[in-house]
Amino acid sequence: MATQQDAVTRANFDEVILPIYAPAEFIPVKGKGSRVWDQQGKEYVDFAGGIAVTALGHCHPALVETLKTQGETLWHISNVFTNEPALRLARKLIDATFAERVVFMNSGTEANETAFKLARFYASTRHSPYKTKIIAFHNAFHGRSLFTVTVGGQPKYSDGFGPKPADIIHVPFNDLHAVKAVMDDHTCAVVVEPIQGEGGVTAATPEFLQGLRELCDQHKALLVFDEVQCGMGRSGDLFAYMHYGVTPDILTSAKALGGGFPISAMLTTNEIASVFHAGSHGSTYGGNPLACAVAGTAFDIINTPEVLNGVNAKRQLFVKHLQQIGEKYQLFSEIRGMGLLVGAELTAPFKGRARDFLYAAAEAGVMVLNAGPDVMRFAPSLVIDEQDIDEGMRRFASAVEKVVNG
Ligand SMILES: *Cc1c(COP(=O)(O)O)cnc(C)c1O
């Protein structure tokens, strides 16, 4: 029988886990701040942040403290009862945003599933049962349930699972004319990431989001912002919509919301929320006291001028290093994104090789991400310090040199 102390290796992955991932060859076992150690004791600088999740680094003392305290108090009680941490966290989110109502889920997928169901339900309740069209964007990513993956803009992820939810249309991102051409009174929602993450780290233009807002108002459709990746401080504002000055009707948050503890939220207005009633939707774990307590502490730290203002200073240091590396090897055609969601597009000779750079970087002692085959992505802790950025970039540069010359 397996015990908690049994030795495990990377080879075990291929024996026991569903083959849906291709994890690196090493196994991380410990993290502190923006450093991670593997089974062999090798140390890595973390520029990946668990894919934009560990916004306060690994094992932040305040999060650990809350986890311990709440862990000794109350973990789970179900939504048959409400709980204090959930009510406190909802109040924080409402006080800091456009929202008047919040619901908690456990993943970005579930927050988006909730948002899309609510948008459809709102349209059919308030307007017409035929108002079901959802407009979304090429290369968008909204999660992996059949509904959310179908709203996402990469058909290869939704093909092969049988009939898809109907009446979902995709048009090019940042192309307002394309949206206008398909927008009509049967549209219930336009769903957009203000900064596309998985799709290649591409920020929306202000005119695009402003135009979507106007089109939605004209056609009584809801504007849904998926801020699962770009929200919770990553853009340098608490939420990216604040940077753009365009207010959505529904916003989803996850990833950094719990600083690494699974939790997500969907935010909306009283009017939109009011079409739901007890039983319309739900989740067993959603809003559990343990997740909400940790997220509450993460929120209090992230939503401060110190942390939010630090994001853009750190971005500049990232961009400076990437420009230097890019120039030396003619590696990047564009450095983009916002705040600490940094994308660097590979030049033509290196197209398709993002994973090679990612693996070489890990070998050199720095964890980075890609966003598709042509874009390197960096989504570090929002409180990563300058020494970690400098050291991680030294290691990244040496990895680049190996790939380019090897
Ligand atoms: C990661 C992500 C999701 C899905 O979140 P999960 O927690 O993996 O379900 C949805 N939308 C965006 C923009 C994301 O980056």
Side-chain angles (χ1 to χ4, degrees), residues 51 106-110 112 141-144 193 195-198 226-230 252 254-255 264 377:
I51 317 189
N106 314 287
S107 66
T109 295
E110 289 169 284
N112 283 331
F141 185 77
H142 300 299
R144 294 293 200 150
E193 295 159 86
I195 308 165
Q196 283 195 339
E198 302 302 310
D226 178 347
E227 294 220 24
V228 166
Q229 185 156 166
C230 65
T252 54
K255 292 203 164 87
S264 65
R377 175 172 42 152

Side-chain angles (χ1 to χ4, degrees), residues 37-161:
W37 291 265
D38 71 13
Q39 285 179 318
Q40 273 65 49
K42 178 174 165 180
E43 176 242 307
Y44 302 80
V45 177
D46 187 0
F47 286 168
I51 317 189
V53 168
T54 47
L56 297 173
H58 297 276
C59 301
H60 188 288
L63 298 189
V64 172
E65 180 58 35
T66 300
L67 188 62
K68 281 186 181 161
T69 307
Q70 189 64 40
E72 288 166 352
T73 307
L74 185 70
W75 292 22
H76 178 84
I77 198 74
S78 90
N79 288 302
V80 174
F81 312 94
T82 189
N83 69 78
E84 293 178 348
L87 296 174
R88 289 192 190 105
L89 179 60
R91 178 59 63 197
K92 289 178 204 288
L93 287 163
I94 286 168
D95 286 348
T97 67
F98 76 96
E100 298 160 330
R101 293 284 180 144
V102 178
V103 66
F104 296 113
M105 294 280 148
N106 314 287
S107 66
T109 295
E110 289 169 284
N112 283 331
E113 184 83 18
T114 307
F116 305 163
K117 283 178 69 180
L118 177 57
R120 284 260 175 96
F121 203 82
Y122 181 77
S124 72
T125 307
R126 284 278 192 275
H127 301 296
S128 141
Y130 303 108
K131 194 174 171 66
T132 53
K133 189 199 281 185
I134 293 176
I135 298 174
F137 298 95
H138 294 162
N139 294 320
F141 185 77
H142 300 299
R144 294 293 200 150
S145 68
L146 194 52
F147 194 1
T148 57
V149 85
T150 306
V151 176
Q154 295 209 57
K156 68 171 184 208
Y157 291 137
S158 54
D159 288 346
F161 299 103

Side-chain angles (χ1 to χ4, degrees), residues 17-32:
I17 306 288
L18 215 65
I20 57 174
Y21 307 111
E25 287 302 321
F26 62 93
I27 299 184
V29 293
K30 186 173 122 106
K32 185 92 200 107

